[in-house]
């Protein structure tokens, strides 16, 4: 009989919001989430616990503050910007950088916790408890 003890999800260079949320639900504290959008956008709303590191300061700010072997999840306004940020971090010597596909919209679609100015003022919407509506909104956001 194979080992039936569950194990936490592993690190993936291309990660979904579900992958990240699964790691959080396992209680794995050994990673950092970086929001590389501009500060105003970050303040408006971001993944709970994410550190703000705007693209134009990313490597300069990350290098002295984050261990090069730490798991890092990065997200931006688009998957292209996320990929660019991850590439910059990898080029700077960071070993484990994951691109969070879909960014904040994907995170919200899986019910991940958020914080920020707009997040605290936004009343629950019709999609908050309806997975089908959340996925439709997520798809609509991706096509914009």
């Amino acid at each position: 009989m194979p080992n039936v003890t569950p194990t936490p999800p592993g690190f993936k260079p291309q990660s979904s919001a579900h992958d990240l949320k699964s790691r959080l639900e396992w209680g794995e504290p050994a990673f950092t989430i970086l929001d590389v959008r501009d500060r105003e956008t970050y303040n408006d709303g971001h993944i709970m616990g994410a550190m703000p590191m705007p693209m134009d300061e990313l490597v300069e700010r990350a290098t002295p503050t984050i261990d090069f072997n730490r798991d890092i999840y990065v997200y931006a306004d688009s998957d292209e910007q996320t990929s660019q940020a991850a590439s910059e971090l990898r080029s700077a010597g960071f070993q484990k950088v994951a691109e969070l596909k879909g960014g904040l919209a994907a995170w919200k679609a899986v019910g991940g916790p958020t914080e920020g100015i707009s997040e605290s003022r936004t009343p629950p919407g019709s999609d908050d408890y309806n997975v089908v509506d959340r996925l439709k909104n997520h798809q609509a956001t991706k096509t914009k």
Side-chain angles (χ1 to χ4, degrees), residues 121-143:
R121 285 185 293 180
T122 305
S126 64
D127 68 340
D128 282 358
Y129 305 103
N130 185 320
V131 174
V132 174
D133 283 344
R134 275 197 304 219
L135 290 174
K136 286 179 189 174
N137 287 344
H138 174 65
Q139 286 293 37
T141 303
K142 283 177 63 175
T143 58

Side-chain angles (χ1 to χ4, degrees), residues 26-105:
W26 267 90
E28 288 192 55
F31 61 86
T32 299
I33 305 168
L34 297 181
D35 184 322
V36 299
R37 302 172 304 153
D38 66 75
R39 187 61 182 224
E40 186 176 324
T41 306
Y42 170 86
N43 288 343
D44 198 44
H46 56 270
I47 294 173
M48 187 173 286
M51 294 174 57
M53 289 206 184
M55 282 286 278
D56 58 345
E57 305 170 11
L58 180 59
V59 173
E60 295 80 21
R61 291 184 60 192
T63 302
T65 58
I66 302 173
D67 186 279
F68 285 94
N69 293 314
R70 188 167 181 83
D71 291 1
I72 300 170
Y73 289 84
V74 62
Y75 72 98
D77 285 322
S78 68
D79 285 346
E80 294 78 23
Q81 289 174 334
T82 298
S83 180
Q84 178 186 350
S87 180
E88 286 182 23
L89 289 168
R90 290 180 190 122
S91 293
F94 290 94
Q95 305 293 312
K96 298 178 182 176
V97 181
E99 300 171 28
L100 183 57
K101 296 300 180 185
L104 185 60

